Amino acid sequence: MKRLAIVVPCYNEEEMLQFTSVELQKEMNRLIQLNKITKDSFILFVDDGSKDRTWELISAEHEKNPVNVFGLKLAGNVGHQYALTAGLLTAMQCCDVTISIDADLQDDIGVFEEMLDKYHAGADIVYGVRNNRKKDTFFKRTTAQGFYKVMEIMGVKTVYNHADFRLMSQRAVKHFAEFKESNLYIRGMIPLIGYRTECVYYERKERIAGTSKYPLKKMLALAIEGITSFSVKPISLITIMGFIIVFFSFCALIYVLASFFFGNVEPGWASLMLSLWFLGGVQLISVGLIGQYIGKIYIEVKHRPRYNIETFLTNENEALK
């Protein structure tokens, strides 16, 4: 049997936390009874600088069950990807295998057993993959599918319909810890580890309480982060676009000269203004995109810590090291 850590990033989850804790403990106890995991397996709630009572509730859950419920409080809000990283790297010190899942429990905890079975069969990474997107709105479903296609075109390795619900062995997490970049896109980083992987499929549930912590703005930011962190193809596309514009400009030059010599020149204010606006837009997009890469370099070279741990609630002194 192996010791399991269930890593749960939390941000303003006071409405969900007690329910989530109860459900996860029930499932963990079931797995213990089936001899799938050890009795000292635990849940690690990671408070990502919440502004509500999330940490207070985590502390209360730890007091009720100090053996199986741990808490990690970060010193400020650093974002989901950093909070998840903090949880994984902390849990790695005192467990054999981790499962990461969001606090809303929209991902199905009923597939934990199947994940563990695949792990015991030799898989170091087991992805939780949605089997459909029927419950998504048309807009969200269309944009999500488009995102995966764009990532594929850009050459970024991703698992279709997989977010951050996955099992990882201790050695897989240790290898993940060797990725030192500050610009985190974990969904793209995990496939680079290279160990044996498997997938389990499930139907995503509706959120019981609270609101989504990934509105459209954050989803777009995550998409841009993923593309610019793992591919330089956008810069290549700018170069190709430049050559295409030069080609059409050359064609337009031939047309203008022909019109001049045949006396068909008419005032072209509208076409001139459209051309200026178009080229100006292309230039601004190009400069902005290149600026994204330069900004990432700027952040990376400073080597600032990705997160700071304020409090770690555990019953084990060795976990604090």
Side-chain angles (χ1 to χ4, degrees):
M1 289 190 295
K2 300 293 184 179
R3 191 182 192 191
L4 170 69
I6 303 172
V7 179
V8 189
C10 306
Y11 178 67
N12 292 347
E13 292 288 359
E14 66 176 356
E15 296 179 64
M16 279 294 301
L17 198 128
Q18 288 179 308
F19 172 82
T20 299
S21 181
V22 169
E23 292 300 308
L24 288 176
Q25 288 184 68
K26 284 181 182 178
E27 181 60 21
M28 192 165 60
N29 289 332
R30 188 181 75 84
L31 293 172
I32 291 172
Q33 292 174 1
L34 293 173
N35 292 323
K36 299 287 184 179
I37 56 177
T38 60
K39 293 181 179 180
D40 57 350
S41 296
F42 60 93
I43 305 163
L44 176 60
F45 289 106
V46 184
D47 180 18
D48 183 23
S50 298
K51 299 177 181 178
D52 58 6
R53 296 174 56 247
T54 296
W55 180 247
E56 180 182 334
L57 294 173
I58 291 173
S59 301
E61 292 297 314
H62 173 70
E63 289 180 7
K64 287 190 290 186
N65 188 355
V67 175
N68 301 116
V69 179
F70 295 172
L72 187 70
K73 181 176 176 59
L74 301 183
N77 176 241
V78 294
H80 178 271
Q81 298 291 280
Y82 293 101
L84 177 55
T85 300
L88 289 173
L89 300 191
T90 302
M92 174 188 70
Q93 303 174 47
C94 49
C95 74
D96 302 300
V97 59
T98 64
I99 294 178
S100 58
I101 188 169
D102 289 340
D104 56 22
L105 290 193
Q106 289 185 269
D107 299 317
D108 187 7
I109 64 175
V111 300
F112 282 4
E113 183 179 354
E114 186 179 354
M115 285 180 160
L116 288 165
D117 288 341
K118 289 183 180 292
Y119 163 71
H120 287 297
D124 281 281
I125 301 169
V126 183
Y127 298 109
V129 181
R130 297 175 61 174
N131 54 19
N132 63 70
R133 286 186 169 269
K134 294 179 181 179
K135 294 183 180 179
D136 286 351
T137 62
F138 173 79
F139 175 78
K140 187 172 182 179
R141 182 167 59 250
T142 303
T143 53
Q145 291 172 345
F147 168 71
Y148 285 111
K149 289 180 180 178
V150 169
M151 294 294 280
E152 183 179 353
I153 292 171
M154 295 296 172
V156 182
K157 291 182 179 180
T158 55
V159 178
Y160 186 70
N161 276 347
H162 164 72
D164 287 305
F165 179 35
R166 69 180 70 86
L167 174 147
M168 297 178 68
S169 67
Q170 186 185 55
R171 74 167 184 165
V173 178
K174 284 182 177 179
H175 191 88
F176 169 68
E178 295 177 8
F179 291 79
K180 301 299 183 181
E181 58 256 47
S182 298
N183 299 287
L184 293 179
Y185 181 66
I186 299 176
R187 301 176 198 181
M189 296 166 71
I190 300 302
L192 298 178
I193 292 175
Y195 294 138
R196 178 180 165 186
T197 63
E198 295 285 351
C199 294
V200 298
Y201 298 90
Y202 67 96
E203 185 170 351
R204 190 168 171 83
K205 302 175 182 179
E206 296 287 349
R207 175 181 268 270
I208 295 175
T211 58
S212 172
K213 303 306 181 294
Y214 261 97
L216 179 61
K217 181 180 178 181
K218 286 190 175 181
M219 288 176 63
L220 289 174
L222 183 64
I224 294 171
E225 183 73 34
I227 293 171
T228 56
S229 293
F230 283 87
S231 176
V232 294
K233 281 192 176 181
I235 295 179
S236 300
L237 291 176
I238 289 175
T239 305
I240 294 171
M241 187 185 300
F243 280 113
I244 292 173
I245 292 173
V246 169
F247 172 75
F248 281 108
S249 298
F250 181 73
C251 293
L253 175 62
I254 295 174
Y255 171 75
V256 170
L257 290 176
S259 299
F260 175 77
F261 286 115
F262 286 101
N264 296 324
V265 178
E266 296 290 340
W269 181 86
S271 60
L272 179 61
M273 291 303 296
L274 286 173
S275 299
L276 289 174
W277 279 105
F278 174 71
L279 291 174
V282 169
Q283 289 174 342
L284 288 174
I285 292 172
S286 302
V287 171
L289 184 57
I290 294 171
Q292 285 281 332
Y293 286 94
I294 295 174
K296 289 181 181 297
I297 295 171
Y298 172 70
I299 291 172
E300 293 289 349
V301 297
K302 289 190 289 188
H303 298 295
R304 289 179 177 174
R306 295 182 289 190
Y307 53 83
N308 291 320
I309 296 175
E310 182 176 323
T311 308
F312 185 21
L313 297 177
T314 176
N315 66 337
E316 301 177 357
N317 292 330
E318 65 268 20
L320 292 169
K321 296 179 181 178

